[in-house]
Amino acid sequence: MSRPVVRFALLVLGAQVVQQAVFSQTAILGVHLNALLTVVLCIAIAGGSQRGAIVGFSAGLLHDVFLTTPLGASALAYAIAGYVVGVISDGADELLWVSAALAALGSVVAVGTYLIVGARVAQLVVSFGDLTKAAVVIAVVNALVVPLIARRFRIREPIRREVVW
Amino acid sequence: MALARRTARTRPLIVLLVLVSITLVAIDQSGDDSPLHPIRSAFRDTFAAVGDGADNLWPFGDGEAVRRLQAENDQLRAQLGEANGRLAAMADTERERRELTALLELPTIDNAPKVIASVVKLGGSNFQATAELSKGSDSGIEVGMPVVTGEGLVGRVIQTSSTRSTVLLVTDATSNVSVRYVDAGDVGVAAGTGEGRELRGELIELSSAIKAGEVAVTSGLDGSLFPSGIPVVRVASTAAGRQDLRRDVRLEPIVDFDKLDNVAVVQWRA
């Protein structure tokens, strides 16, 4: 296995342990944070759309194991979030505020997609207020945390810009 | 150009991942009967073992746990004395209840075997009110079994692995329990509205004599998910509904979910 794959696998497993041990027991304003989503967004911003989508799918699948919603619901949500954030960050400037905005966007996409799937197939009942609160809290925390962590593991392949004469 | 090429290259990948995810969701919809259940169960058990090991190594947990247990012990001693007094007065009522229940042929949990388990995780999801128990299908726990404490109904099992099970609490927004109000005698539904919130009393006529403080127990009626006679909620407030001919009843759960440590899974099937 290549080094990035091992690195990502360890990151995702570590995030799941943190999720189980810390975040599932604690909440901010009644909202549990999501360590796996944070890792996915960091990798999407630092590594691009392909890595974002693959790591998002894998992390979501692992997260699904511990939820009562069908396997694949979080995988779908995180893969889409990782892909969307990766695609936008591929062409965006590497500024802190841009990364923060992308992290917030990715959080909202992930929470929204998960709830749409959960409501359709697992009959999850969530009020608009609860949905908004969860999305806002997770988005704000990820917007603060992700840009700082993403800078630590910059793994993006350089984009070869074509020079037009 | 390079960016556009890169995006075009990853598009088939995201389409593939979306299709795989949707397929997995479709296959896994049937819960514990799903072909993916053994894989899910194996992962959960492995992580549960890791979690248990980590808990034992955690250096700060014990002191806090001892203090909490001591405080709880003092409180329990005080409650025990009070309960003993009430028990004597209730003996006659209990005998009467048993006779009536037998006459109505309602199922009860009195003689059903129980599995005692501890709560290893309460909540953990932003959108469901659940608890994870320390025992699973290896101990005889099955999906649908009621979960109780000495106080009353906690919920029902919705997912199991070999060594863990997940309980949907009565406070969850998808939980509906058929209840009978013990003083007024009305039968209604205690509907959850979300973790940490009051429940909603449904199907109560305006003319009902239900009053604040009254306890409601599981009705055990035909098709009910629970046997009869388990305390579920206490009426917090009641008022005439504004929009229809029903009473607006607010209920608080009998069980204090913040202090949930040990529970009994009743091996009873609907």
Side-chain angles (χ1 to χ4, degrees), chain A:
Chain A
M1 265 197 291
S2 64
R3 276 184 67 191
V5 172
V6 175
R7 197 166 147 197
F8 293 152
L10 288 175
L11 268 172
V12 168
L13 284 172
Q16 179 58 42
V17 172
V18 171
Q19 184 67 35
Q20 286 285 103
V22 184
F23 289 165
S24 67
Q25 316 284 342
T26 53
I28 296 176
L29 300 173
V31 176
H32 297 280
L33 299 181
N34 192 325
L36 285 156
L37 180 59
T38 304
V39 166
V40 170
L41 296 174
C42 287
I43 289 170
I45 288 170
S49 57
Q50 189 172 354
R51 284 172 171 152
I54 293 171
V55 175
F57 177 80
S58 317
L61 209 54
L62 182 62
H63 194 41
D64 277 328
V65 169
F66 301 92
L67 300 174
T68 56
T69 40
L71 215 59
S74 301
L76 177 65
Y78 295 2
I80 291 176
Y83 177 75
V84 169
V85 168
V87 164
I88 301 173
S89 74
D90 276 342
D93 292 328
E94 294 175 7
L95 298 171
L96 271 182
W97 74 265
V98 174
S99 299
L102 285 173
L105 171 74
S107 305
V108 173
V109 168
V111 172
T113 311
Y114 174 75
L115 270 181
I116 290 168
V117 178
R120 291 288 299 178
V121 297
Q123 282 78 48
L124 278 186
V125 178
V126 179
S127 68
F128 183 71
D130 285 348
L131 165 64
T132 310
K133 190 170 79 172
V136 167
V137 171
I138 293 172
V140 168
V141 172
N142 278 337
L144 293 172
V145 173
V146 167
L148 303 175
I149 305 176
R151 288 200 152 196
R152 290 257 165 214
F153 45 95
R154 193 137 288 282
I155 44 182
R156 185 191 300 277
E157 294 158 21
I159 298 173
R160 289 189 204 91
R161 299 198 187 277
E162 289 180 8
V163 180
V164 181
W165 297 97

Side-chain angles (χ1 to χ4, degrees), chain B residues 141-145 147 155-160 165-168 265:
Chain B
I141 296 175
E142 290 175 18
V143 169
M145 287 179 171
V147 180
R156 68 189 158 88
V157 176
I158 55 165
Q159 198 175 57
T160 61
S165 46
T166 306
V167 181
L168 186 77
V265 182

Side-chain angles (χ1 to χ4, degrees), chain B residues 233-248:
Chain B
V233 284
R234 185 177 285 112
V235 178
S237 68
T238 169
R242 270 177 249 163
Q243 290 176 344
D244 53 25
L245 300 174
R246 309 277 184 191
R247 286 197 84 78
D248 187 6

